[in-house]
Amino acid sequence: MAEFAPEHRTLRSMLQGQADRYSDRPFVSCGGVKWSFAETAEVARAWGARLAAAGIGAGDRVLIHCGNRAEFLQACPGATWIGAIATPVNTAFRGLLPAHVMANARPKLLIVEAQFRPAYDDLGEDVPLPPLLWPITAQGIEVAVPILVPARSDAAAVRPSDIAANLHMSATTGPSKGDCFPQAQFFWWGIYSARAFGVREGDVLMTALPVFHTNALNVFYQALLIGCEYVLVPKFSASGYWKAAAECSATVTYLLGAMASTLMAQPERGEDRKHSIRTALGGGIPARLQEPFYHRFGIPMVDGYASTESNFLIYNRYPSSHLDQHCCCRTRPAKIQQDRVRSCQFTGTFPTAKHHSLAHAASD
């Protein structure tokens, strides 16, 4: 894993640093598109330059409404590269929810996949469309006016504490709130999540989780920081999941509760264990499924608590014998409310040398 000084914990610095380090090593794979570390850094720079040439600047919000496709991996890193705020939209949002996100984010640009464009036809008089709208078609992102991208571009300085993303997470009370995440938080998300999963340099990280959510974005940063390949599957398929994992030689994968239940509901096949997956995120998987899932598919799982706020500091493994020495606490879900977490201003560093011991949870 590469070391990044606190002032370099921004996407631009991390992409440039890892491009220098890994160059032509495969990094991004999505729907037939494959980029090396160096190519991904150039894609982000070029799309950042396009956005800047269109008038997008630091602090401007860029709404991105699309599925798991390469265009997201152009627009989102491109916005983050120049200090704009990437604002992905849940592809399941319909009715009043797109208007809520639009009113909350007040974006300067909407990048939207053609199938989701009708969601913005009737936002209401109080919620106008942004000044710029770039559709995503079969040919890619269509920029309204052709923009000449310079060979090199000098984007404004971006700080680790600058907001990188505005994520409208699922909410238990009312519409999603639009949480703001600094550049450096993605650094720590990548570091601590990779530690929790035991990610190693050269691993292949496969996810079918939607890119509008923290987990799929987090996998991108795990791969970037540890030196892995990031495989973004266009859509989750229970019947084809293990075949897809075998085809890309995945070693780590990421599941949420309903996905594990759906996989378990499939007829048993010979391919259930014909994969190279060593560990998986098992967020919210019911306790009753943990043992059957492990015995059927042979994959230890990691579940985390308050990971959005703590960068995956609090987690458990199943089987528990797989709990590694870096886990800062062992906790039961019922006792989470007793955990004491110290907070600090997020600037990309922490106030103590033992920054991995932020959380002190009640032990079993």
Side-chain angles (χ1 to χ4, degrees):
M1 183 189 74
E3 297 290 337
F4 288 93
E7 64 273 18
H8 292 145
R9 289 166 188 170
T10 64
L11 176 63
R12 191 197 314 175
S13 291
M14 290 185 286
L15 272 174
Q16 288 175 325
Q18 297 300 67
D20 290 341
R21 183 175 188 177
Y22 295 120
S23 188
D24 294 332
R25 178 184 291 187
F27 177 36
V28 166
S29 176
C30 178
V33 172
K34 294 182 180 294
W35 300 326
S36 67
F37 278 83
E39 288 169 334
T40 305
E42 176 55 23
V43 165
R45 184 206 67 80
W47 277 96
R50 286 186 178 91
L51 291 166
I56 304 299
D60 288 334
R61 283 172 167 78
V62 176
L63 217 65
I64 310 169
H65 195 160
C66 69
N68 287 11
R69 51 190 300 160
E71 287 83 359
F72 183 91
L73 300 174
Q74 296 170 331
C76 184
T80 308
W81 183 280
I82 62 171
I85 301 172
T87 307
V89 181
N90 188 327
T91 53
F93 279 2
R94 298 291 188 276
L96 298 176
L97 291 174
H100 163 73
V101 175
M102 187 73 72
N104 181 268
R106 299 181 183 276
K108 194 169 182 179
L109 167 64
L110 168 62
I111 300 176
V112 59
E113 191 174 343
Q115 63 174 311
F116 304 118
R117 177 62 182 85
Y120 299 93
D121 285 342
D122 188 18
L123 297 176
E125 295 180 0
D126 297 333
V127 187
L129 284 170
L132 298 171
L133 192 155
W134 294 352
I136 300 175
T137 68
Q139 288 70 45
I141 300 175
E142 294 189 356
V143 180
V145 178
I147 295 173
L148 180 63
V149 178
R152 302 301 306 170
S153 56
D154 297 322
V158 178
R159 299 167 300 179
S161 57
D162 290 342
I163 302 301
N166 181 216
L167 304 181
H168 289 75
M169 314 286 283
S170 56
T172 54
T173 56
S176 51
K177 303 301 188 292
D179 299 331
C180 295
F181 298 93
Q183 297 254 350
Q185 184 166 358
F186 284 103
F187 170 83
W188 289 115
W189 251 343
I191 293 296
Y192 284 119
S193 297
R195 178 176 295 175
F197 302 132
V199 174
R200 308 165 186 164
E201 183 175 332
D203 271 338
V204 178
L205 314 185
M206 184 186 91
T207 183
L209 294 169
V211 286
F212 61 77
H213 198 272
T214 55
N215 284 300
L217 290 175
N218 182 2
V219 180
F220 177 89
Y221 281 84
Q222 291 174 48
L224 172 62
L225 289 163
I226 308 302
C228 306
E229 184 174 356
Y230 172 70
V231 178
L232 181 63
V233 179
K235 189 176 182 180
F236 173 70
S237 168
S239 61
Y241 199 77
W242 304 118
K243 180 180 178 182
E247 287 176 348
C248 71
S249 302
T251 54
V252 183
T253 195
Y254 304 81
L255 303 169
L256 296 181
M259 298 166 72
S261 300
T262 306
L263 288 168
M264 286 295 294
Q266 293 292 304
E268 292 193 21
R269 302 183 179 93
E271 63 192 38
D272 284 356
R273 280 180 172 256
K274 290 183 179 178
H275 57 74
S276 305
I277 296 174
R278 189 177 67 250
T279 188
L281 168 68
I285 292 180
R288 62 180 174 80
L289 284 183
Q290 291 178 342
E291 184 175 355
F293 189 95
Y294 175 67
H295 285 292
R296 177 173 171 180
F297 301 112
I299 301 173
M301 293 181 292
V302 180
D303 196 0
Y305 313 99
S307 57
T308 301
E309 296 81 6
S310 71
N311 304 322
F312 225 107
L313 279 171
I314 307 170
Y315 61 88
N316 282 332
R317 287 181 179 269
Y318 183 87
S320 59
S321 60
H322 286 78
L323 189 69
D324 68 78
Q325 62 180 342
H326 295 298
C327 181
C328 71
C329 61
R330 305 181 187 197
T331 185
R332 291 197 301 264
K335 299 180 74 174
I336 284 295
Q337 67 271 20
Q338 300 176 15
D339 298 351
R340 296 179 298 139
V341 181
R342 292 179 293 193
S343 62
C344 62
Q345 183 179 2
F346 204 91
T347 59
T349 186
F350 290 93
T352 66
K354 295 183 178 180
H355 51 261
H356 59 279
S357 299
L358 285 176
H360 297 277
S363 59
D364 289 339

